[in-house]
Amino acid sequence: MGLERITVFGLGRVGLIMAVCLAKRGYEVLGFDVDSNLVERLQDGETPFYEPNLSEYLAAALQKNRFTATTDPSINSRSDLAYISVGTPSLADGTIDLSYVEEAAKTIGRTLRDSRQHQLVVVKSTVTPGTARNLIKPALERESKRSAGTDFAVCSNPEFLREGNAIHDTEFPDRIVIGSDDPAAIEKLEKLYREFHGAQFPPIIRTSFENAELTKYTNNAFLATKVSFINCIAGIAERIPHADVKTVAEGIGLDGRIGSKFLNAGLGWGGSCFPKDLSALVSLSKKIGYDAELIAAAVSTNRKQPHKAVELAKQALGSLAEKQIAVLGLSFKPETDDMREAVSIPIINGLLAEGAKVTVWDPEAIVEARQIFGDRIEYATGALECLEQADCCILATEWVQFKKLRPETFIEKMREPVVIDGRRLYDPSEFRAAGIRFRAVGLGPD
Ligand code: UDX
């Protein structure tokens, strides 16, 4: 192997996944994080969040001595490559906080001061166009007292992994995008990925820092806009008797120019990327003199979407005061415990504001939910208990476990069989035929 020793700065959802996947392929991976508690837990083999197969990958990496988590950045001085994968959270004005990225670059720079290594520094964190060239590279040069190009190299290499599929997406990406002003740096990183992916090597784009950075934002903006678009059509369909957005989405999805993915209408998109990245793109555009109104509209459409669940509940039950509402699904999407920007949060807050009593269940996100809602809501220990004596059930996340629930179960457990399908998981005709008052996003009145 060409590059053998790799440091990953920032052991969050991107960095940790990258680290364990590299370790699996035989690289020696050092994981640095400022959070000593996180580092200790990782060294004990404990995963800080839920992600399919992560525990197994971490255990194997530790057992084979291919992964070490540490709070000591000096371990980086002998590495061939350093990934920057720290967070870039949203600020109040929609722009992103680049201070963690800058700090990571400075830390790496200091470790390179006396190093003889020609290290490749790779920016994986999502950063606005211009950041690698104007912030990261200068910080590295200042702190290392060495020159980019001659003494070390910098690449921008955005990450497109999805939560819940993170390991799969890392091992089998659709494409690789590498940006730099240094062709040798691009070549070096491409070589690593050629080794990593072997025969499965995906298409690669070699480009400028800025194109790589903008590609990441554009990718998320496009996908989120696609979802907001179908949610807009859902709003129209809901007002047309016998219309159903699901069939319409199927119809347009078969057009090869459109494609069927990301056309599932629902209560809106959440998570750590779409909301943050779209706001950042809108803010950046404004700053450089462009009004990105299409993307701003995708954001505002999405902001309204969760309230639809409360509206449908009110239409079905009249006043929600003292009504018992079951909310199934809390995470922003299935197969994760992540509740960042999850639509369940505004839905539950909206229900509580109407005076409803809320009981929730989620296969992975209950711990997270307790931190957000405390004792303002009840926490069930399973889907069936959640439905017990409910006047209405709102399905907010399409966990596969919920798909298995039969109409009879809702009828048997609930006080009133009113079901609001916020993710289009169930067959409306089956539920209605069973006697359930069934409402769903994008489903017109019968
Ligand atoms: C996203 C991007 O897909 C990924 O490439 C990037 O690296 C990070 O951001 P992620 O946030 O994990 O990944 O979730 P994703 O599967 O894209 O879903 C985002 C949100 O859109 C979820 O809330 C999901 O429920 C919603 N969604 C998605 C829909 O409502 N309908 C769809 O058809 C697809």
Side-chain angles (χ1 to χ4, degrees):
M1 269 188 258
L3 302 167
E4 280 165 10
R5 201 174 130 117
I6 295 172
T7 317
V8 177
F9 282 81
L11 298 173
R13 289 183 183 261
V14 169
L16 183 57
I17 299 292
M18 195 70 212
V20 296
C21 289
L22 285 163
K24 174 119 199 266
R25 288 282 197 277
Y27 297 91
E28 183 189 348
V29 186
L30 303 161
F32 167 83
D33 204 287
V34 290
D35 181 347
S36 55
N37 179 40
L38 170 67
V39 164
E40 268 172 43
R41 286 173 67 189
L42 289 172
Q43 279 300 107
D44 288 342
E46 205 187 309
T47 51
F49 49 83
Y50 174 72
E51 183 65 43
N53 299 323
L54 176 58
S55 294
E56 293 80 355
Y57 271 54
L58 177 62
L62 290 167
Q63 201 245 327
K64 291 187 170 136
N65 271 327
R66 289 195 193 137
F67 174 67
T68 311
T70 176
T71 53
D72 175 12
S74 69
I75 44 95
N76 181 54
S77 60
R78 288 194 303 112
S79 289
D80 304 295
L81 186 148
Y83 279 110
I84 298 181
S85 52
V86 295
T88 50
S90 272
L91 293 168
D93 64 353
T95 60
I96 53 167
D97 181 355
L98 289 168
S99 62
Y100 301 104
V101 166
E102 187 176 13
E103 204 44 53
K106 285 179 170 172
T107 307
I108 295 171
R110 284 193 287 274
T111 69
L112 296 182
R113 220 175 264 182
D114 305 312
S115 164
R116 272 187 305 253
Q117 211 69 2
H118 187 281
Q119 193 169 88
L120 176 58
V121 180
V122 180
V123 186
K124 274 247 163 253
S125 305
T126 300
V127 293
T128 33
T131 305
R133 190 188 299 274
N134 303 320
L135 183 86
I136 296 175
K137 200 161 75 154
L140 284 162
E141 288 189 317
R142 254 191 336 267
E143 294 295 322
S144 65
K145 303 195 189 340
R146 300 171 87 204
S147 308
T150 330
D151 303 317
F152 63 88
V154 187
C155 273
S156 170
N157 172 219
E159 181 51 65
F160 300 99
L161 62 79
R162 293 162 297 170
E163 285 184 29
N165 289 80
I167 288 183
H168 175 271
D169 289 352
T170 303
E171 293 182 333
F172 305 100
D174 289 336
R175 73 327 211 160
I176 290 170
V177 179
I178 307 178
S180 185
D181 55 357
D182 175 355
I186 297 181
E187 207 178 299
K188 204 168 167 184
L189 189 57
E190 179 175 342
K191 193 161 168 278
L192 168 79
Y193 289 136
R194 284 201 181 273
E195 281 171 3
F196 184 94
H197 296 291
Q200 313 260 21
F201 190 71
I204 180 164
I205 307 277
R206 305 173 196 87
T207 186
S208 64
F209 284 125
E210 288 75 9
N211 276 341
E213 291 162 330
L214 186 56
T215 302
K216 165 73 191 208
Y217 278 101
T218 307
N219 211 80
N220 278 348
F222 185 84
L223 292 172
T225 304
K226 198 172 177 189
V227 178
S228 279
F229 174 82
I230 202 67
N231 284 342
C232 165
I233 302 298
I236 300 171
E238 279 155 26
R239 285 156 181 83
I240 302 174
H242 314 295
D244 185 349
V245 74
K246 216 170 160 175
T247 312
V248 175
E250 202 184 326
I252 64 164
L254 287 168
D255 184 326
R257 295 168 299 176
I258 296 174
S260 60
K261 292 179 183 165
F262 277 70
L263 280 182
N264 297 324
L267 292 169
W269 37 263
S272 65
C273 292
F274 283 6
K276 173 171 84 79
D277 292 355
L278 271 75
S279 298
L281 195 53
V282 170
S283 305
L284 172 80
S285 307
K286 202 168 169 186
K287 209 164 118 191
I288 57 181
Y290 183 71
D291 178 8
E293 52 188 336
L294 178 65
I295 299 164
V299 174
S300 59
T301 298
N302 193 59
R303 209 167 281 138
K304 291 184 206 136
Q305 203 64 7
H307 303 291
K308 190 170 277 185
V310 182
E311 280 315 307
L312 288 174
K314 276 164 74 178
Q315 281 171 23
L317 302 179
S319 163
L320 297 184
E322 297 300 313
K323 292 278 162 48
Q324 183 67 46
I325 315 285
V327 176
L328 288 180
L330 300 166
S331 55
F332 84 93
K333 66 173 199 178
E335 293 302 327
T336 178
D337 56 358
D338 197 345
M339 281 187 68
R340 283 177 290 177
E341 304 281 335
V343 298
S344 61
I345 301 172
I347 293 171
I348 293 168
N349 282 331
L351 294 169
L352 292 174
E354 295 286 334
K357 293 179 183 160
V358 179
T359 303
V360 300
W361 167 246
D362 185 283
E364 293 293 337
I366 291 290
V367 174
E368 198 74 25
R370 276 189 202 278
Q371 283 174 12
I372 300 169
F373 294 106
D375 57 9
R376 291 190 293 141
I377 59 175
E378 298 287 327
Y379 304 88
T381 55
L384 299 188
E385 188 191 313
C386 187
L387 295 177
E388 205 89 54
Q389 291 303 307
D391 296 297
C392 171
C393 166
I394 296 174
L395 182 105
T397 315
E398 67 280 31
W399 282 91
V400 68
Q401 292 89 324
F402 302 152
K403 175 83 178 159
K404 294 183 193 133
L405 293 173
R406 310 288 312 138
E408 306 83 67
T409 311
F410 288 93
I411 294 169
E412 188 194 312
K413 294 282 169 193
M414 295 174 71
R415 188 163 27 218
E416 292 289 333
V418 176
V419 174
I420 295 168
D421 185 352
R423 295 292 175 186
R424 301 308 310 266
L425 198 60
Y426 302 120
D427 176 358
S429 48
E430 188 191 12
F431 271 60
R432 282 178 176 159
I436 287 178
R437 284 165 69 202
F438 185 85
R439 303 297 305 270
V441 171
L443 185 66
D446 261 355

